[in-house]
Short mmCIF file of all heavy atoms in Angstrom, two decimals:
data_model
loop_
_atom_site.label_atom_id
_atom_site.label_comp_id
_atom_site.label_asym_id
_atom_site.label_seq_id
_atom_site.Cartn_x
_atom_site.Cartn_y
_atom_site.Cartn_z
N ARG A 15 -4.80 2.22 5.74
CA ARG A 15 -5.76 1.71 4.75
C ARG A 15 -5.61 0.19 4.73
O ARG A 15 -6.40 -0.56 5.29
CB ARG A 15 -5.46 2.37 3.38
CG ARG A 15 -6.52 2.15 2.27
CD ARG A 15 -6.48 0.77 1.62
NE ARG A 15 -5.21 0.43 1.03
CZ ARG A 15 -4.95 -0.83 0.53
NH1 ARG A 15 -5.80 -1.77 0.59
NH2 ARG A 15 -3.73 -0.93 -0.03
N ASP A 16 -4.54 -0.33 4.03
CA ASP A 16 -4.37 -1.79 3.95
C ASP A 16 -4.35 -2.38 5.35
O ASP A 16 -4.96 -3.41 5.64
CB ASP A 16 -3.02 -2.06 3.20
CG ASP A 16 -2.84 -3.41 2.77
OD1 ASP A 16 -3.34 -4.37 3.48
OD2 ASP A 16 -2.20 -3.67 1.73
N GLN A 19 -8.10 -2.14 6.88
CA GLN A 19 -9.28 -2.50 6.09
C GLN A 19 -9.77 -3.95 6.42
O GLN A 19 -10.88 -4.29 6.19
CB GLN A 19 -8.95 -2.44 4.59
CG GLN A 19 -8.07 -3.54 4.07
CD GLN A 19 -7.79 -3.42 2.50
OE1 GLN A 19 -8.18 -2.43 1.90
NE2 GLN A 19 -7.12 -4.44 1.96
N GLU A 46 -1.22 6.34 2.86
CA GLU A 46 -2.56 5.90 2.30
C GLU A 46 -3.48 6.06 3.46
O GLU A 46 -3.48 5.38 4.48
CB GLU A 46 -2.45 4.37 2.02
CG GLU A 46 -2.89 3.98 0.58
CD GLU A 46 -2.71 2.49 0.39
OE1 GLU A 46 -2.54 1.71 1.42
OE2 GLU A 46 -2.73 2.05 -0.82
N SER A 49 -9.92 4.49 1.47
CA SER A 49 -10.31 4.07 0.15
C SER A 49 -11.74 4.56 -0.07
O SER A 49 -12.55 4.52 0.77
CB SER A 49 -10.53 2.53 0.12
OG SER A 49 -9.44 1.89 0.61
N PHE A 50 -11.94 5.18 -1.34
CA PHE A 50 -13.31 5.45 -1.71
C PHE A 50 -13.84 4.27 -2.59
O PHE A 50 -13.90 4.33 -3.81
CB PHE A 50 -13.28 6.76 -2.56
CG PHE A 50 -13.13 7.93 -1.56
CD1 PHE A 50 -11.93 8.61 -1.42
CD2 PHE A 50 -14.20 8.34 -0.80
CE1 PHE A 50 -11.77 9.65 -0.56
CE2 PHE A 50 -14.06 9.40 0.11
CZ PHE A 50 -12.86 10.04 0.21
N VAL A 51 -14.09 3.21 -1.87
CA VAL A 51 -14.66 2.02 -2.51
C VAL A 51 -16.09 1.73 -1.91
O VAL A 51 -16.47 2.51 -1.03
CB VAL A 51 -13.74 0.74 -2.20
CG1 VAL A 51 -12.35 0.96 -2.82
CG2 VAL A 51 -13.62 0.45 -0.75
N SER A 52 -16.77 0.73 -2.36
CA SER A 52 -18.02 0.51 -1.85
C SER A 52 -18.00 0.14 -0.37
O SER A 52 -17.33 -0.78 -0.04
CB SER A 52 -18.69 -0.62 -2.62
OG SER A 52 -19.78 -1.05 -1.96
N PRO A 53 -18.74 0.84 0.48
CA PRO A 53 -18.73 0.44 1.93
C PRO A 53 -19.36 -0.93 2.20
O PRO A 53 -19.11 -1.51 3.21
CB PRO A 53 -19.66 1.58 2.58
CG PRO A 53 -20.40 2.20 1.44
CD PRO A 53 -19.58 1.94 0.15
N LYS A 54 -20.05 -1.39 1.12
CA LYS A 54 -20.58 -2.80 1.34
C LYS A 54 -19.50 -3.83 1.14
O LYS A 54 -19.46 -4.89 1.71
CB LYS A 54 -21.68 -3.09 0.24
CG LYS A 54 -23.03 -2.34 0.66
CD LYS A 54 -24.12 -2.68 -0.40
CE LYS A 54 -25.27 -1.75 -0.19
NZ LYS A 54 -25.89 -1.31 -1.45
N TRP A 55 -18.51 -3.41 0.31
CA TRP A 55 -17.42 -4.35 0.06
C TRP A 55 -16.36 -4.24 1.16
O TRP A 55 -15.79 -5.22 1.57
CB TRP A 55 -16.75 -4.03 -1.34
CG TRP A 55 -17.56 -4.47 -2.46
CD1 TRP A 55 -18.86 -4.07 -2.83
CD2 TRP A 55 -17.23 -5.53 -3.45
NE1 TRP A 55 -19.27 -4.79 -3.92
CE2 TRP A 55 -18.31 -5.66 -4.35
CE3 TRP A 55 -16.08 -6.32 -3.56
CZ2 TRP A 55 -18.31 -6.50 -5.42
CZ3 TRP A 55 -16.08 -7.20 -4.68
CH2 TRP A 55 -17.21 -7.35 -5.50
N VAL A 56 -16.03 -3.00 1.61
CA VAL A 56 -15.03 -2.83 2.68
C VAL A 56 -15.52 -1.87 3.66
O VAL A 56 -15.25 -0.62 3.63
CB VAL A 56 -13.63 -2.33 2.01
CG1 VAL A 56 -12.56 -2.26 3.07
CG2 VAL A 56 -13.22 -3.26 0.89
N LEU A 80 -7.43 5.20 -2.35
CA LEU A 80 -7.77 4.24 -3.39
C LEU A 80 -9.05 4.58 -4.18
O LEU A 80 -10.08 4.94 -3.48
CB LEU A 80 -8.03 2.85 -2.81
CG LEU A 80 -6.75 1.81 -2.90
CD1 LEU A 80 -5.58 2.43 -2.16
CD2 LEU A 80 -7.20 0.44 -2.31
N PRO A 82 -11.42 3.00 -7.09
CA PRO A 82 -11.62 1.95 -8.15
C PRO A 82 -12.36 2.31 -9.40
O PRO A 82 -12.41 1.63 -10.43
CB PRO A 82 -12.42 0.89 -7.36
CG PRO A 82 -13.25 1.77 -6.40
CD PRO A 82 -12.39 2.87 -6.07
N ASN A 83 -13.01 3.52 -9.32
CA ASN A 83 -13.87 3.98 -10.44
C ASN A 83 -14.15 5.47 -10.33
O ASN A 83 -13.62 6.08 -9.39
CB ASN A 83 -15.16 3.17 -10.43
CG ASN A 83 -15.88 3.19 -9.11
OD1 ASN A 83 -15.64 4.11 -8.30
ND2 ASN A 83 -16.72 2.24 -8.86
N LYS A 85 -16.75 7.01 -9.38
CA LYS A 85 -17.44 7.40 -8.12
C LYS A 85 -16.36 7.54 -6.98
O LYS A 85 -16.42 8.54 -6.21
CB LYS A 85 -18.44 6.32 -7.73
CG LYS A 85 -19.28 6.75 -6.53
CD LYS A 85 -20.45 5.75 -6.33
CE LYS A 85 -21.09 5.92 -4.94
NZ LYS A 85 -22.31 6.61 -4.90
N GLY A 86 -15.39 6.70 -7.00
CA GLY A 86 -14.33 6.74 -6.06
C GLY A 86 -13.50 8.04 -6.23
O GLY A 86 -13.06 8.68 -5.35
N GLU A 99 -4.99 6.35 -6.06
CA GLU A 99 -4.33 5.12 -6.35
C GLU A 99 -5.35 4.22 -7.08
O GLU A 99 -6.49 4.01 -6.59
CB GLU A 99 -3.93 4.46 -5.05
CG GLU A 99 -3.24 3.12 -5.31
CD GLU A 99 -2.59 2.55 -4.03
OE1 GLU A 99 -2.45 3.29 -3.07
OE2 GLU A 99 -2.11 1.44 -4.08
N PHE A 101 -5.99 0.34 -8.75
CA PHE A 101 -5.43 -0.91 -8.44
C PHE A 101 -6.05 -2.01 -9.22
O PHE A 101 -7.18 -2.18 -9.35
CB PHE A 101 -5.62 -1.20 -6.91
CG PHE A 101 -7.05 -1.04 -6.42
CD1 PHE A 101 -7.87 -2.08 -6.01
CD2 PHE A 101 -7.54 0.30 -6.19
CE1 PHE A 101 -9.12 -1.87 -5.50
CE2 PHE A 101 -8.79 0.50 -5.70
CZ PHE A 101 -9.60 -0.62 -5.35
N PHE A 108 -8.60 -12.98 -8.77
CA PHE A 108 -8.56 -11.98 -7.69
C PHE A 108 -9.32 -10.72 -8.22
O PHE A 108 -10.02 -10.05 -7.46
CB PHE A 108 -7.14 -11.68 -7.32
CG PHE A 108 -6.99 -10.54 -6.33
CD1 PHE A 108 -7.38 -10.76 -5.04
CD2 PHE A 108 -6.58 -9.30 -6.76
CE1 PHE A 108 -7.28 -9.73 -4.14
CE2 PHE A 108 -6.49 -8.23 -5.86
CZ PHE A 108 -6.86 -8.45 -4.49
N ASN A 112 -12.17 -9.05 -6.16
CA ASN A 112 -11.79 -7.75 -5.46
C ASN A 112 -12.56 -6.61 -6.00
O ASN A 112 -13.06 -5.74 -5.20
CB ASN A 112 -10.31 -7.55 -5.60
CG ASN A 112 -9.77 -6.49 -4.59
OD1 ASN A 112 -10.19 -6.38 -3.44
ND2 ASN A 112 -9.02 -5.58 -5.12
N ILE A 113 -12.70 -6.53 -7.30
CA ILE A 113 -13.35 -5.31 -7.86
C ILE A 113 -14.49 -5.68 -8.92
O ILE A 113 -14.93 -4.74 -9.62
CB ILE A 113 -12.34 -4.28 -8.41
CG1 ILE A 113 -11.31 -5.03 -9.37
CG2 ILE A 113 -11.63 -3.57 -7.35
CD1 ILE A 113 -10.35 -4.03 -10.05
N ASN A 114 -14.82 -6.97 -8.91
CA ASN A 114 -15.97 -7.36 -9.70
C ASN A 114 -15.86 -7.13 -11.17
O ASN A 114 -16.84 -6.84 -11.87
CB ASN A 114 -17.23 -6.67 -9.09
CG ASN A 114 -18.52 -7.47 -9.33
OD1 ASN A 114 -18.39 -8.71 -9.53
ND2 ASN A 114 -19.62 -6.78 -9.32
N ARG A 123 -11.91 0.93 -16.93
CA ARG A 123 -12.57 1.74 -15.85
C ARG A 123 -11.62 2.79 -15.40
O ARG A 123 -12.06 3.86 -15.00
CB ARG A 123 -12.87 0.83 -14.63
CG ARG A 123 -14.26 0.42 -14.52
CD ARG A 123 -14.45 -0.22 -13.22
NE ARG A 123 -15.47 -1.32 -13.32
CZ ARG A 123 -15.75 -2.14 -12.38
NH1 ARG A 123 -15.12 -2.05 -11.20
NH2 ARG A 123 -16.69 -3.09 -12.48
N SER A 141 -1.25 0.04 -8.45
CA SER A 141 -0.88 -1.09 -7.77
C SER A 141 -1.17 -2.34 -8.57
O SER A 141 -2.24 -2.39 -9.13
CB SER A 141 -1.53 -1.06 -6.45
OG SER A 141 -1.38 -2.27 -5.71
N VAL A 142 -0.28 -3.33 -8.54
CA VAL A 142 -0.49 -4.55 -9.31
C VAL A 142 -0.52 -5.73 -8.27
O VAL A 142 0.51 -6.10 -7.69
CB VAL A 142 0.58 -4.88 -10.35
CG1 VAL A 142 0.33 -6.14 -11.04
CG2 VAL A 142 0.66 -3.65 -11.34
N SER A 143 -1.76 -6.19 -7.99
CA SER A 143 -1.86 -7.27 -6.98
C SER A 143 -1.46 -8.61 -7.53
O SER A 143 -1.42 -8.84 -8.72
CB SER A 143 -3.28 -7.36 -6.51
OG SER A 143 -3.63 -6.26 -5.68
N CYS A 144 -1.24 -9.53 -6.61
CA CYS A 144 -0.95 -11.00 -6.93
C CYS A 144 0.29 -11.16 -7.88
O CYS A 144 0.20 -12.01 -8.82
CB CYS A 144 -2.18 -11.56 -7.48
SG CYS A 144 -3.60 -11.60 -6.39
N ALA A 177 2.77 -5.80 -6.09
CA ALA A 177 2.37 -6.28 -4.73
C ALA A 177 2.36 -7.79 -4.70
O ALA A 177 1.81 -8.51 -5.51
CB ALA A 177 0.93 -5.75 -4.41
N ASP A 178 2.94 -8.27 -3.53
CA ASP A 178 2.89 -9.67 -3.15
C ASP A 178 1.74 -9.78 -2.18
O ASP A 178 1.91 -9.87 -0.96
CB ASP A 178 4.16 -10.17 -2.58
CG ASP A 178 4.25 -11.69 -2.44
OD1 ASP A 178 3.17 -12.33 -2.78
OD2 ASP A 178 5.25 -12.24 -1.91
N THR A 179 0.53 -9.89 -2.68
CA THR A 179 -0.74 -9.85 -1.89
C THR A 179 -0.81 -10.96 -0.84
O THR A 179 -1.24 -10.69 0.28
CB THR A 179 -1.95 -9.93 -2.85
OG1 THR A 179 -1.72 -9.02 -3.95
CG2 THR A 179 -3.18 -9.59 -2.22
N HIS A 207 5.40 -3.85 -2.60
CA HIS A 207 4.44 -3.91 -1.60
C HIS A 207 4.39 -5.38 -1.15
O HIS A 207 3.80 -6.25 -1.82
CB HIS A 207 3.10 -3.45 -2.16
CG HIS A 207 1.89 -3.51 -1.31
ND1 HIS A 207 1.29 -2.38 -0.85
CD2 HIS A 207 1.10 -4.56 -0.92
CE1 HIS A 207 0.19 -2.70 -0.17
NE2 HIS A 207 0.03 -4.09 -0.16
N HIS A 209 3.38 -8.32 1.48
CA HIS A 209 2.71 -8.88 2.58
C HIS A 209 3.66 -9.95 3.11
O HIS A 209 4.48 -10.49 2.37
CB HIS A 209 1.32 -9.44 2.21
CG HIS A 209 0.32 -8.39 2.00
ND1 HIS A 209 -0.55 -7.95 2.98
CD2 HIS A 209 0.16 -7.45 1.02
CE1 HIS A 209 -1.34 -6.93 2.54
NE2 HIS A 209 -0.90 -6.59 1.27
N GLY A 239 -3.83 -6.74 5.21
CA GLY A 239 -4.49 -7.87 4.62
C GLY A 239 -5.52 -7.44 3.63
O GLY A 239 -5.98 -6.27 3.75
N CYS A 240 -5.98 -8.34 2.81
CA CYS A 240 -6.98 -7.99 1.87
C CYS A 240 -8.24 -8.90 2.07
O CYS A 240 -8.04 -10.10 2.02
CB CYS A 240 -6.50 -8.03 0.43
SG CYS A 240 -7.80 -7.68 -0.71
N PRO A 241 -9.38 -8.37 2.29
CA PRO A 241 -10.54 -9.23 2.54
C PRO A 241 -10.89 -10.19 1.34
O PRO A 241 -11.52 -11.15 1.56
CB PRO A 241 -11.69 -8.25 2.77
CG PRO A 241 -11.20 -6.90 2.44
CD PRO A 241 -9.74 -6.94 2.45
N TYR A 242 -10.41 -9.79 0.11
CA TYR A 242 -10.76 -10.65 -1.02
C TYR A 242 -9.56 -11.51 -1.47
O TYR A 242 -9.62 -12.06 -2.55
CB TYR A 242 -11.28 -9.71 -2.12
CG TYR A 242 -12.54 -9.03 -1.60
CD1 TYR A 242 -12.58 -7.74 -1.24
CD2 TYR A 242 -13.71 -9.82 -1.55
CE1 TYR A 242 -13.76 -7.21 -0.72
CE2 TYR A 242 -14.83 -9.28 -1.05
CZ TYR A 242 -14.84 -7.95 -0.60
OH TYR A 242 -15.99 -7.41 -0.13
N ASN A 249 1.27 -6.66 6.16
CA ASN A 249 2.36 -6.16 5.36
C ASN A 249 3.64 -6.22 6.15
O ASN A 249 3.60 -6.27 7.36
CB ASN A 249 2.10 -4.75 4.92
CG ASN A 249 0.95 -4.51 3.99
OD1 ASN A 249 -0.19 -4.65 4.42
ND2 ASN A 249 1.15 -4.28 2.72
P1 HMG B 1 -19.88 -3.36 -8.09
O1 HMG B 1 -20.88 -3.94 -7.15
O2 HMG B 1 -19.55 -4.15 -9.34
O3 HMG B 1 -20.23 -1.81 -8.46
O4 HMG B 1 -18.50 -3.13 -7.22
P2 HMG B 1 -21.42 -1.09 -9.12
O5 HMG B 1 -20.86 0.00 -9.97
O6 HMG B 1 -22.38 -2.01 -9.74
O7 HMG B 1 -22.13 -0.44 -7.86
C1 HMG B 1 -22.80 -1.18 -6.85
C2 HMG B 1 -23.03 -0.33 -5.61
O8 HMG B 1 -21.73 0.15 -5.11
C3 HMG B 1 -23.80 0.91 -5.89
O9 HMG B 1 -24.51 1.27 -4.66
C4 HMG B 1 -22.76 1.99 -6.14
O10 HMG B 1 -23.22 3.24 -5.87
C5 HMG B 1 -21.68 1.52 -5.13
P3 HMG B 1 -26.04 0.75 -4.43
O11 HMG B 1 -26.79 1.28 -5.54
O12 HMG B 1 -26.02 -0.79 -4.45
O13 HMG B 1 -26.34 1.27 -3.11
N1 HMG B 1 -20.36 2.04 -5.49
C6 HMG B 1 -19.57 2.73 -4.68
N2 HMG B 1 -19.76 3.24 -3.42
C7 HMG B 1 -18.77 3.98 -2.90
N3 HMG B 1 -17.58 4.29 -3.62
C8 HMG B 1 -17.37 3.74 -4.80
C9 HMG B 1 -18.44 2.96 -5.38
N4 HMG B 1 -18.50 2.36 -6.57
C10 HMG B 1 -19.71 1.81 -6.61
N5 HMG B 1 -16.23 3.96 -5.42
C11 HMG B 1 -16.51 -1.91 -6.81
C12 HMG B 1 -17.41 -2.59 -7.87
C13 HMG B 1 -15.20 -1.61 -7.42
C14 HMG B 1 -17.19 -0.66 -6.29
C15 HMG B 1 -16.36 -2.87 -5.58
O14 HMG B 1 -15.96 -4.13 -6.11
C16 HMG B 1 -15.41 -2.42 -4.55
O15 HMG B 1 -15.67 -1.39 -3.89
N6 HMG B 1 -14.29 -3.13 -4.41
C17 HMG B 1 -13.21 -2.60 -3.55
C18 HMG B 1 -12.43 -3.75 -2.96
C19 HMG B 1 -11.25 -3.24 -2.17
O16 HMG B 1 -11.24 -2.10 -1.71
N7 HMG B 1 -10.40 -4.11 -1.91
C20 HMG B 1 -9.25 -3.83 -1.08
C21 HMG B 1 -8.27 -2.89 -1.67
S1 HMG B 1 -7.13 -3.64 -2.80
C22 HMG B 1 -5.85 -4.27 -1.84
O17 HMG B 1 -5.92 -4.30 -0.69
C23 HMG B 1 -4.59 -4.72 -2.56
C24 HMG B 1 -3.47 -3.76 -2.37
O18 HMG B 1 -3.14 -3.55 -0.96
C25 HMG B 1 -2.22 -4.33 -3.08
C26 HMG B 1 -1.95 -5.85 -2.67
O19 HMG B 1 -1.59 -6.12 -1.55
O20 HMG B 1 -2.28 -6.60 -3.48
C27 HMG B 1 -3.69 -2.44 -2.96
#
Side-chain angles (χ1 to χ4, degrees):
R15 194 280 305 171
D16 195 325
Q19 73 179 9
E46 232 178 17
S49 312
F50 285 102
V51 300
S52 163
K54 287 183 192 141
W55 285 64
V56 185
L80 259 60
N83 52 22
K85 189 170 167 105
E99 180 168 350
F101 50 109
F108 176 74
N112 193 44
I113 48 177
N114 207 21
R123 258 187 214 174
S141 171
V142 180
S143 286
C144 302
D178 190 359
T179 314
H207 176 110
H209 286 261
C240 178
Y242 297 103
N249 294 72

